[in-house]
């Protein structure tokens, strides 16, 4: 079963605009990770935010986490055509190992 | 690091045949995971190994599926008597226990088409 749900399911923007994707989850987590997947390819890890962190930056990426609302957002600033991909949030919970459960993804299209 | 390697990348097989996928994790990563992904969905957890021990199996992993990691390095995922519903991408991932970030690294996946 899916733990996280991304919103929107699809997003189309012009190059240079910012893209915001949201993720909601159901149970308590240790951390939340965002991944990118180009069509037909494997997943690329983008950023991890721990449950005691509220915001994290990496290059053009900004991730926020609100554990009280069980939600996270991923902001991509100054988007590029190469950012076109599906983006997944994945929640990590305690269980003796890093069990990661993925949401259904947001499909982002950046129009040149 | 050479990354997580999976092969074959694509496999087309007839219903009822057996298929085997191989995964070579990042060297020294002691944790290995298999996921399955169908079109339009996120990856779904199948099974997890710590070293050679298979510590968790999803209910998605029917008795036609078997995964091994005999020496705690590479892993194989075998599907017996394939069905059309097995068509999916099978993703392997690895991580290092104790690594602070607990980041899981994925391979490029193995596409299975059952005809």
């Amino acid at each position: 079963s899916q733990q996280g749900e991304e919103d929107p399911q699809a997003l189309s923007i012009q190059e240079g605009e910012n893209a915001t994707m949201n993720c909601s989850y159901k149970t308590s987590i240790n951390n939340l990770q965002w991944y990118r997947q180009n069509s037909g390819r494997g997943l690329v890890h983008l950023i991890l935010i721990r449950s005691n962190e509220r915001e994290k930056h990496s290059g053009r990426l900004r991730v926020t986490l609100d554990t009280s609302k069980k939600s996270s957002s991923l902001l991509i600033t100054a988007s590029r055509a190469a950012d076109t991909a599906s983006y997944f949030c994945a929640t990590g919970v305690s269980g003796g190992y890093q069990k990661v459960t993925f949401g259904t993804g947001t499909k982002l299209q950046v129009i040149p | 690091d050479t990354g997580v390697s999976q092969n074959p990348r694509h496999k087309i097989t007839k219903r009822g045949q057996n298929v085997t996928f191989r995964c070579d994790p990042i060297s020294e990563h002691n944790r290995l995971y298999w996921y399955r992904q169908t079109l339009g969905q996120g990856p779904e957890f199948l099974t997890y190994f710590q070293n050679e021990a298979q510590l968790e199996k999803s209910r998605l992993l029917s008795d036609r599926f078997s995964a091994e990691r005999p020496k705690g390095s590479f892993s194989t995922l075998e599907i017996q008597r394939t069905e059309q519903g097995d068509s999916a991408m099978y993703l392997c991932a690895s991580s290092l226990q104790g690594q602070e970030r607990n980041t899981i690294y994925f391979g490029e996946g193995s596409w299975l088409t059952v005809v």
Side-chain angles (χ1 to χ4, degrees), chain A residues 28-96:
Chain A
S28 295
I29 61 172
N30 280 353
N31 61 66
L32 187 143
Q33 305 179 44
W34 284 91
Y35 287 82
R36 184 186 75 226
Q37 186 177 38
N38 291 86
S39 181
R41 307 294 297 273
L43 285 88
V44 175
H45 182 264
L46 295 176
I47 195 165
L48 179 151
I49 185 167
R50 296 188 185 87
S51 59
N52 61 354
E53 297 175 314
R54 291 296 167 258
E55 187 171 313
K56 203 157 184 183
H57 297 254
S58 177
R60 294 184 294 113
L61 306 180
R62 173 178 167 251
V63 168
T64 62
L65 179 64
D66 187 336
T67 53
S68 66
K69 295 181 179 178
K70 291 186 169 57
S71 68
S72 173
S73 68
L74 170 67
L75 168 68
I76 304 174
T77 59
S79 63
R80 304 166 182 169
D83 296 328
T84 295
S86 291
Y87 291 82
F88 294 91
C89 69
T91 52
V93 299
S94 290

Side-chain angles (χ1 to χ4, degrees), chain B residues 30 32 47-56 69-70 72:
Chain B
N30 60 336
L32 187 145
T47 191
Y48 157 72
F49 288 86
Q50 180 155 313
N51 301 310
E52 66 276 7
Q54 188 175 20
L55 298 185
E56 185 166 345
R69 195 182 183 198

Side-chain angles (χ1 to χ4, degrees), chain A residues 4-17:
Chain A
E5 292 290 334
E6 287 89 346
D7 171 62
Q9 288 189 328
L11 180 61
S12 183
I13 59 173
Q14 295 290 327
E15 199 166 31
E17 293 180 339

Side-chain angles (χ1 to χ4, degrees), chain B residues 47-101:
Chain B
T47 191
Y48 157 72
F49 288 86
Q50 180 155 313
N51 301 310
E52 66 276 7
Q54 188 175 20
L55 298 185
E56 185 166 345
K57 291 168 61 173
S58 163
R59 275 175 268 178
L60 292 173
L61 216 63
S62 76
D63 56 6
R64 295 184 299 105
F65 288 70
S66 63
E68 294 182 345
R69 195 182 183 198
K71 297 181 181 178
S73 56
F74 73 92
S75 175
T76 58
L77 176 68
E78 181 184 19
I79 309 173
Q80 296 181 326
R81 305 181 303 280
T82 53
E83 302 172 355
Q84 287 187 322
D86 297 332
S87 295
M89 180 162 69
Y90 291 85
L91 289 157
C92 178
S94 69
S95 67
L96 181 61
Q97 182 180 6
Q99 186 179 35
E100 182 182 318
R101 290 168 61 89

